């Protein structure tokens, strides 16, 4: 090319959650069935959308207005409805004007970082959800700034680590919270959320909370919303319907702005985000129109409660199978529908393997390993698991983390299949950790 095309930092954009699919498709092409545990798509894992929900969407499709533009900020009646849901919590109060719709939270996250100064850093959790960490790194032209989630303490944040990084890095202007967390399944207790607020208040920071899984908790755990503890500080909540309804193909998410006039700089950021949406005209209208009708339906609360109870039951099955395997650190998940399993690094070595009898599979695997001889050891395990057991998971090293492990989902609706999958996974973990090159001879 005549000149350089990519800006510095663009290469930080990475999405291993979908990247691993390319390798799984190669195995599929050889005639093998893949068990997909790489992505949080409820529909892919046999979650059935209720008939009454489909009827609502079908009726909307028959209305001419569902084919037109929405207000630039989003359908007014939907924004009023969502503001009401927030205000019922009794915390920070908002109006319809404090809500802005996007084509999914990925779109919202990209827009948020797009307009920040490259020198303005948002510190986020590690392990980190890739969409956040990649977007933050790309905007800043360097690696993301993170605070530690501790697998030895139920994946709760190391608040001293966060405090010190904020104190000694004046470039940090905001803190990202993902609650319930992806990829760990941790849910922040209210007092921990209050700790984030206290740090934000002391250092005059913006708080951003990804709360798309807020209504997906189980086993007696409930999530506290950021709006309940934020007080008078500026903050943004990111929400959506893709997991909760579930309707991931809707690509429908929104921002809620709390205390937009508490800071002149925050007010300018909000106005800029609104202006950017006006240039685009609007976000997709059909899912927006559906939100009040679905969420206020008399069967919705029972539907969500039943779905959560099933996820909770699967989380207990997973704990039963994986909880006591030597060589891994396992924390029961409490919210969302993921679990992050971490290897004890004393058990992880470069020469471990899983048996592969098909020479074509072995050839594929050898090619993947040869492409990156220095790959993280958890990624090496993930490739062996894919080739040997045909289970597709995501390495935690791809979630902006120095830990070594992998993320799985709790989405498979058929409990017999779910149990079979994780029993197979458990056997593979034990076989891999107990293997050595000497056994290959």
């Amino acid at each position: 090319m005549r000149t350089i095309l990519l800006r510095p930092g663009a290469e930080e954009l990475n999405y291993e959650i979908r990247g691993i699919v390319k390798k799984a498709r190669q195995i599929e092409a050889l005639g093998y069935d893949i068990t997909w545990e790489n992505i949080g798509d409820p529909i892919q894992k046999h979650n059935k959308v209720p008939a009454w929900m489909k009827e609502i969407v079908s009726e909307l499709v028959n209305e001419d207005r569902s084919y037109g533009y929405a207000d630039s900020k989003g359908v007014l009646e939907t924004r009023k409805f969502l503001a009401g849901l927030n205000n019922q919590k009794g915390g920070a109060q908002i109006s319809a004007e404090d809500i802005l719709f996007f084509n999914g939270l990925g779109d919202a996250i990209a827009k948020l970082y797009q307009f920040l100064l490259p020198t303005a850093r948002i510190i986020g959790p590690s392990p980190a959800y890739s969409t956040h960490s990649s977007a933050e790194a790309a905007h800043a032209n360097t690696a993301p700034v993170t605070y530690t989630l501790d697998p030895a303490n139920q994946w709760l944040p190391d608040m001293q680590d966060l405090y010190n990084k904020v104190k000694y890095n004046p470039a940090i202007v905001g803190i990202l919270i993902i609650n319930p967390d992806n990829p760990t399944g941790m849910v922040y207790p209210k007092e921990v959320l209050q700790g984030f607020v206290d740090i934000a208040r002391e250092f005059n920071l913006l708080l951003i909370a990804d709360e798309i899984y807020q209504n997906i908790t189980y086993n007696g755990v409930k999530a506290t919303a950021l709006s309940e503890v934020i007080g008078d500080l500026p903050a943004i909540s990111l929400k959506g319907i893709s997991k909760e309804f579930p309707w991931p193909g809707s690509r429908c998410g929104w921002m809620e702005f709390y205390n937009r006039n508490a800071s002149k700089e925050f007010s300018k950021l909000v106005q800029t985000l609104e202006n950017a949406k006006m240039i685009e005209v609007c976000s997709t209208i059909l899912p927006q129109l559906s939100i009040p009708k679905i969420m206020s339906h008399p069967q919705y609360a029972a539907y969500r409660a039943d779905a959560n109870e099933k996820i909770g039951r699967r989380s207990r099955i997973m704990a039963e199978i994986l909880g006591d395997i030597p060589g891994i650190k396992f924390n029961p998940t409490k919210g969302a529908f993921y679990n992050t399993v971490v290897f004890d690094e004393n058990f992880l070595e470069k020469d471990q393997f899983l048996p592969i009898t098909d020479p074509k599979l072995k050839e594929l695997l050898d090619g993947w390993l040869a492409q990156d001889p220095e790959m993280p050891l958890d990624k090496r395990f993930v490739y062996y698991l894919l080739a040997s057991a045909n289970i597709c998971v995501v390495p935690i090293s791809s979630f902006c983390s120095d830990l070594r492990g992998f993320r799985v989902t709790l989405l498979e609706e058929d409990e017999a299949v779910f149990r079979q999958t994780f029993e197979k996974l458990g056997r593979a973990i034990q076989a891999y950790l107990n293997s050595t090159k000497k056994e290959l001879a």
Side-chain angles (χ1 to χ4, degrees):
M1 298 299 294
R2 186 176 186 179
T3 185
I4 295 173
L5 296 178
L6 286 176
R7 55 170 284 183
E11 292 175 345
E12 291 288 344
L13 290 170
N14 181 43
Y15 202 46
E16 185 64 35
I17 297 169
R18 289 192 180 273
I20 194 72
V21 172
K22 295 179 181 179
K23 292 177 171 56
R25 295 298 186 200
Q26 291 178 284
I27 291 178
E28 267 192 335
L30 295 177
Y32 291 90
D33 292 328
I34 300 297
T35 301
W36 300 99
E37 291 294 333
N38 62 303
I39 195 165
D41 183 350
I43 304 303
Q44 184 189 61
K45 303 297 281 188
H46 312 115
N47 193 299
K48 299 298 182 185
V49 179
W52 60 264
M53 199 178 290
K54 291 179 178 178
E55 288 172 8
I56 288 173
V57 176
S58 297
E59 290 171 1
L60 287 170
V61 168
N62 286 322
E63 295 184 17
D64 287 346
R65 63 173 178 157
S66 70
Y67 294 85
Y69 287 132
D71 290 351
S72 291
K73 295 177 69 170
V75 174
L76 180 58
E77 65 192 75
T78 301
R79 289 186 285 125
K80 287 180 177 179
F81 174 80
L82 293 172
L85 289 184
N86 172 80
N87 294 346
Q88 289 172 15
K89 300 180 189 298
Q93 301 291 288
I94 60 175
S95 73
E97 295 308 304
D98 298 310
I99 294 177
L100 182 61
F101 268 88
F102 294 85
N103 291 315
L105 283 196
D107 178 32
I109 291 164
K111 288 292 191 303
L112 174 61
Y113 290 111
Q114 177 182 344
F115 297 110
L116 295 178
L117 281 172
T119 53
R121 305 306 304 274
I122 305 293
I123 187 169
S126 174
Y129 179 54
S130 307
T131 301
H132 283 289
S133 59
S134 294
E136 203 281 334
H139 114 271
N141 304 333
T142 187
V145 182
T146 62
Y147 59 89
T148 300
L149 301 182
D150 185 2
N153 187 27
Q154 304 176 72
W155 286 117
L156 293 174
D158 184 334
M159 298 303 283
Q160 191 61 52
D161 175 60
L162 172 62
Y163 184 90
N164 289 337
K165 286 174 176 173
V166 168
K167 181 177 181 179
Y168 295 110
N169 187 348
I172 292 175
V173 299
I175 302 171
L176 170 68
I177 304 164
I178 304 177
N179 183 39
D181 184 63
N182 177 8
T184 70
M186 174 265 296
V187 179
Y188 289 97
K190 186 174 184 178
E191 58 270 22
V192 173
L193 281 179
Q194 187 60 56
F196 282 106
V197 172
D198 293 343
I199 293 173
R201 187 177 300 279
E202 179 175 348
F203 294 100
N204 196 25
L205 304 179
L206 169 66
L207 279 177
I208 303 167
D210 184 331
E211 299 183 306
I212 194 167
Y213 297 102
Q214 187 176 82
N215 294 324
I216 304 178
T217 59
Y218 34 85
N219 295 340
V221 175
K222 297 292 183 184
T224 299
L226 179 63
S227 66
E228 296 178 65
V229 296
I230 192 61
D232 59 358
L233 297 184
I236 300 174
S237 173
L238 305 171
K239 295 178 180 173
I241 62 173
S242 63
K243 315 297 184 177
E244 186 176 331
F245 276 15
W247 193 0
S250 69
R251 307 315 305 134
C252 181
W254 65 92
M255 292 182 181
E256 295 177 0
F257 303 119
Y258 305 135
N259 306 309
R260 65 186 296 165
N261 295 317
S263 158
K264 182 178 179 181
E265 287 299 313
F266 181 54
S267 181
K268 286 163 60 178
L269 172 62
V270 172
Q271 187 61 58
T272 299
L273 290 167
E274 292 176 347
N275 290 345
K277 180 51 64 176
M278 289 179 188
I279 292 171
E280 291 182 1
V281 182
C282 70
S283 297
T284 308
I285 187 172
L286 178 62
Q288 291 185 52
L289 291 170
S290 77
I291 289 172
K293 294 179 178 294
I294 290 175
M295 287 189 170
S296 62
H297 192 278
Q299 295 188 53
Y300 184 70
Y303 160 75
R304 192 63 257 162
D306 179 65
N308 287 353
E309 196 278 329
K310 289 178 180 176
I311 300 171
R313 192 159 63 241
R314 294 194 290 269
S315 78
R316 297 192 294 274
I317 293 172
M318 185 186 294
E320 169 196 328
I321 296 170
L322 302 183
D324 296 322
I325 293 178
I328 64 172
K329 299 174 185 176
F330 181 87
N331 284 286
T333 186
K334 300 176 181 178
F337 35 61
Y338 308 101
N339 196 309
T340 290
V341 177
V342 177
F343 289 110
D344 182 332
E345 294 201 24
N346 293 324
F347 285 71
L348 208 56
E349 300 175 7
K350 290 184 177 181
D351 59 356
Q352 290 162 325
F353 69 98
L354 287 171
I356 300 168
T357 57
D358 186 333
K360 292 182 179 179
L361 284 178
K362 187 67 166 60
E363 183 181 358
L364 275 180
L365 175 63
D366 289 345
W368 301 340
L369 298 177
Q371 289 173 10
D372 184 7
E374 301 302 318
M375 72 173 58
L377 294 184
D378 59 343
K379 193 170 184 178
R380 188 174 182 278
F381 166 77
V382 165
Y383 285 174
Y384 264 100
L385 181 70
L386 184 57
S388 177
N390 308 142
I391 299 174
C392 184
V393 301
V394 189
I396 285 305
S397 56
S398 299
F399 287 85
C400 193
S401 176
D402 292 330
L403 297 170
R404 296 296 175 254
F406 55 92
R407 189 194 76 169
V408 293
T409 77
L410 295 91
L411 284 170
E412 175 56 60
E413 286 285 317
D414 187 323
E415 283 191 10
V417 173
F418 183 86
R419 181 177 288 276
Q420 181 182 36
T421 296
F422 283 92
E423 286 175 346
K424 187 177 182 182
L425 175 60
R427 290 192 296 270
I429 293 170
Q430 294 179 77
Y432 188 83
L433 294 180
N434 290 328
S435 67
T436 66
K437 270 189 176 178
K438 293 177 184 178
E439 293 175 276
L440 286 170

